[in-house]
């Protein structure tokens, strides 16, 4: 079946979401977040795109980006390839890290631009990772809060508001508008489910879990399922496919 053509933006501006394969975690420690940000900076200089907002969640990335001389597909491929090579070397793994296609939605007017701008910065709030916008460290909120030298193109966005204070107030105005794909929270927040997994298995990362002996891995999957962690969430946090997890859970104890 042919791929559906991407909708084009009259402003060359897009809300992009990049997800881990099977929604698994792609940032396991602070250095992973910092490396991804460094790659954004690197290709921003080379590909001459404008970046208006970003938010790095544990298993996905949000970008508000405008391409100029280099096509968005090329930009995203460069970012993905460079990070995956670094990540696979660090964690001694091979294969895919991201889903095969990033998702995007076109921004065709500045009203929706502002909506996406706020949605991206409130993503940690929606996920239960902060109680008020601005406390989560891995987003461009701080670039706007400080309003100083930044690799983020903050001026375009700030010009949509009467002043800097109004911009920050807008980011703190809680909105129920959802952009692109919105996944409702699981029964457990990911950070709580991850603590359970680490406590039960002593695995510190998805890579550790994937290297468990087969029988032990499946036994853990069954135990974690009984503790209320869904198949989808287990897949996201361990990197094991949902089919494999479902099969392990259904196996009869021997």
């Amino acid at each position: 079946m042919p791929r559906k053509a991407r909708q084009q933006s009259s402003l060359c501006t897009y809300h992009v979401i990049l997800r881990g394969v099977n929604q698994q975690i792609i940032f396991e420690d602070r250095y992973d977040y910092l490396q991804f940000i460094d790659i954004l900076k690197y290709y921003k200089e080379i590909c001459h795109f404008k970046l208006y907002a970003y938010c790095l969640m544990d298993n996905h990335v949000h970008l508000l980006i405008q391409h100029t001389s280099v096509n968005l597909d090329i930009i995203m491929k460069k970012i993905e390839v460079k990070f995956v090579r670094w990540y696979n070397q660090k964690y001694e793994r091979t294969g895919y890290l991201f889903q095969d296609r990033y998702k995007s939605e076109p921004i065709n007017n500045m009203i929706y631009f502002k909506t996406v701008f706020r949605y991206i910065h409130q993503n940690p709030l929606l996920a239960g990772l902060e109680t008020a916008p601005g406390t989560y460290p891995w987003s461009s909120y701080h670039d706007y809060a400080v309003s100083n030298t930044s690799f983020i193109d903050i001026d375009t966005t700030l010009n949509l508001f009467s002043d800097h204070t109004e911009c920050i107030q807008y980011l703190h105005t809680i909105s129920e508008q959802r952009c692109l794909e919105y996944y409702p929270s699981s029964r457990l927040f990911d950070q709580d489910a991850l603590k359970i997994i680490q406590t039960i298995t002593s695995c510190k990362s998805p890579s550790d879990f994937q290297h468990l002996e087969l029988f032990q891995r499946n036994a853990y999957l069954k135990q974690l399922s009984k503790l209320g962690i869904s198949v989808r969430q287990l897949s996201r946090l361990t990197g094991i496919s949902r089919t494999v997890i479902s099969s392990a859970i259904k196996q009869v104890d021997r």
Side-chain angles (χ1 to χ4, degrees), residues 104-118:
S104 66
E105 62 173 341
I107 310 297
N108 289 312
N109 59 72
M110 300 314 287
I111 294 175
Y112 193 58
F113 180 101
K114 287 175 65 176
T115 298
V116 172
F117 168 70
R118 177 167 59 186

Side-chain angles (χ1 to χ4, degrees), residues 187-188 223-230 233:
R187 286 174 291 176
L188 290 172
Q223 184 179 1
L224 293 166
S225 175
K226 291 178 180 178
L227 291 173
I229 304 178
S230 69
Q233 197 169 28

Side-chain angles (χ1 to χ4, degrees), residues 57-73:
M57 304 292 282
D58 59 1
N59 69 344
H60 67 282
V61 172
H62 289 269
L63 303 175
L64 180 53
I65 184 172
Q66 180 183 39
H67 66 85
T68 54
S69 57
V70 180
N71 182 275
L72 182 61
D73 283 342

Side-chain angles (χ1 to χ4, degrees), residues 1 59 100 112 114 158 163 202:
M1 183 178 178
N59 69 344
D100 59 341
Y112 193 58
K114 287 175 65 176
L158 290 176
D163 55 29
S202 297

Side-chain angles (χ1 to χ4, degrees), residues 34-46:
L34 291 172
Q35 179 66 19
F36 193 90
I37 291 171
D38 283 344
I39 290 172
L40 284 177
K41 293 178 181 178
Y42 177 76
Y43 281 118
K44 189 172 184 292
E45 290 295 321
I46 292 177

Side-chain angles (χ1 to χ4, degrees), residues 93-156:
R93 68 185 295 277
T94 58
Y96 298 106
L97 177 63
F98 295 113
Q99 289 180 357
D100 59 341
R101 289 189 92 195
Y102 66 91
K103 295 191 177 296
S104 66
E105 62 173 341
I107 310 297
N108 289 312
N109 59 72
M110 300 314 287
I111 294 175
Y112 193 58
F113 180 101
K114 287 175 65 176
T115 298
V116 172
F117 168 70
R118 177 167 59 186
Y119 172 75
I120 288 176
H121 287 114
Q122 290 189 359
N123 222 247
L125 187 69
L126 292 171
L129 299 178
E130 60 182 5
T131 57
T135 57
Y136 185 73
W138 306 113
S139 82
S140 52
Y141 174 95
H142 308 282
D143 297 273
Y144 285 93
V146 175
S147 189
N148 206 336
T149 303
S150 170
F151 80 104
I152 301 299
D153 297 284
I154 63 175
D155 289 344
T156 296

